[in-house]
Amino acid sequence: MFAVLKTGGKQYKVQSGDVLRVEKLAAEAGETVQFNEILMLGGDTPSVGSPMITGAAVQATVIDQIKGEKLIHYVKRRRKHSSQRKKGHRQQLTLVRITDILASGAEASGVKAAVGAGSAPAAAAAPAAKAAAPKAKAAPKAAAPEAAAGADDLKQLSGVGPALEKKLLEAGVTSFAQIAAWGPEDIAEFDEKLSFKGRIEREGWVEQAKTLAQG
C-alpha cells in the first residue's frame, strides 16, 4: 500500500519503511508525527481525495533535523549599477521514516500532527493569546457637544462656523451675554485657550455679542 501526502507545499509518494526528507517540521528526533494531508491511497482499493481523503494519514518517526545541499545564488547587474552579489543557502530539512499508513481513523490516533517549523509558533501563540487577552470593550464614541436648551446660536457671530461653535460650547460659552461681558483678560484667555489667534478682536465678537444679546 502506498500514499501520496502533501507537506511543505510538496507532494510525496511513500510506502511504509521509506526514509523521506521534508521541509523542516516542529518536532524533535525520536518523535512520532502524523501527516494528515493525504491526496491519494493506493493498493487493492485505490482512493483519490477531493482534494484530501478524510480520516486518512501517514505516520512517521523523526530521525533527525538536517540541512540540504548548499545552493549558490549569484546576481550581477551591469546597467547603471554594475553590481554583483553572491549568496549561499542551505535549506533546513527534517529526515523522517514512514512507519504506518492509515486509511481511516486518523483523527482518533492521538499522534502529533506534522506541522512546519515556520508556522508552529504562530499557530500555538494564536489560541494562547486569544485566551489570555480579555476582549477589550469598544470605547464609546465621544458625543458632539450640543448647545443646552435655550442657548444662543453662536454661528451668528462673524467668522463662526460649526467648528468654532463646537470649540466655544466645549469651553462652556453658550450665550451672547457671556461674550458681551468679556474684558481684555477674558479675550486673551480664550484667544490662547482655543487658539483663535486674535480672531475675537479682529472679528469684533464682543461688540457683535452685545448687539445680538439685546436683540
Side-chain angles (χ1 to χ4, degrees), residues 18 40 56 58 68 101 105-106 112 118 134 143 157 169 181 189 195 197 212:
D18 286 354
M40 179 180 176
V58 171
I101 296 175
K112 172 183 176 180
L157 293 171
L169 292 174
E189 179 187 346
S195 300
K197 300 178 181 179
L212 292 166

Side-chain angles (χ1 to χ4, degrees), residues 79-186:
R79 294 187 62 186
K80 297 184 181 179
H81 303 287
S82 186
S83 66
Q84 55 186 358
R85 184 174 59 181
K86 183 179 179 181
K87 292 195 301 182
H89 173 69
R90 293 185 67 187
Q91 182 68 35
Q92 294 189 330
L93 304 170
T94 300
L95 195 63
V96 299
R97 178 178 283 108
I98 306 301
T99 57
D100 200 7
I101 296 175
L102 305 179
S104 62
E107 61 279 355
S109 68
V111 178
K112 172 183 176 180
V115 181
S119 59
K130 190 175 180 181
K135 193 172 181 181
K137 291 184 178 179
K141 275 190 176 181
E146 296 181 1
D152 295 329
D153 182 8
L154 301 180
K155 293 192 294 296
Q156 294 185 48
L157 293 171
S158 177
V160 176
L164 291 185
E165 183 183 41
K166 179 181 177 181
K167 281 189 175 184
L168 290 167
L169 292 174
E170 287 175 343
V173 180
T174 60
S175 68
F176 297 128
Q178 286 176 274
I179 299 174
W182 283 354
E185 292 183 0
D186 299 313

Side-chain angles (χ1 to χ4, degrees), residues 15 56 66-67 90 92 103 116 149 161 175 186 192 196:
Q15 290 180 319
I66 61 174
K67 287 186 178 180
R90 293 185 67 187
Q92 294 189 330
S175 68
D186 299 313
E192 181 179 354
F196 284 154

Side-chain angles (χ1 to χ4, degrees), residues 201-215:
E201 290 186 332
R202 188 170 60 251
E203 300 288 352
W205 285 1
V206 175
E207 296 303 320
Q208 291 181 47
K210 288 178 181 177
T211 305
L212 292 166
Q214 293 173 359

Side-chain angles (χ1 to χ4, degrees), residues 1-5 14 38-49 53-58 100-104:
M1 183 177 183
F2 71 87
V4 177
L5 63 87
V14 298
I38 309 302
L39 303 170
M40 179 180 176
L41 291 174
D44 296 334
T45 55
S47 177
V48 178
I53 300 176
T54 304
V58 171
D100 200 7
I101 296 175
L102 305 179
S104 62

Side-chain angles (χ1 to χ4, degrees), residues 70-74 86-89:
K70 189 169 187 177
L71 301 176
I72 303 298
H73 180 64
Y74 180 74
K86 183 179 179 181
K87 292 195 301 182
H89 173 69

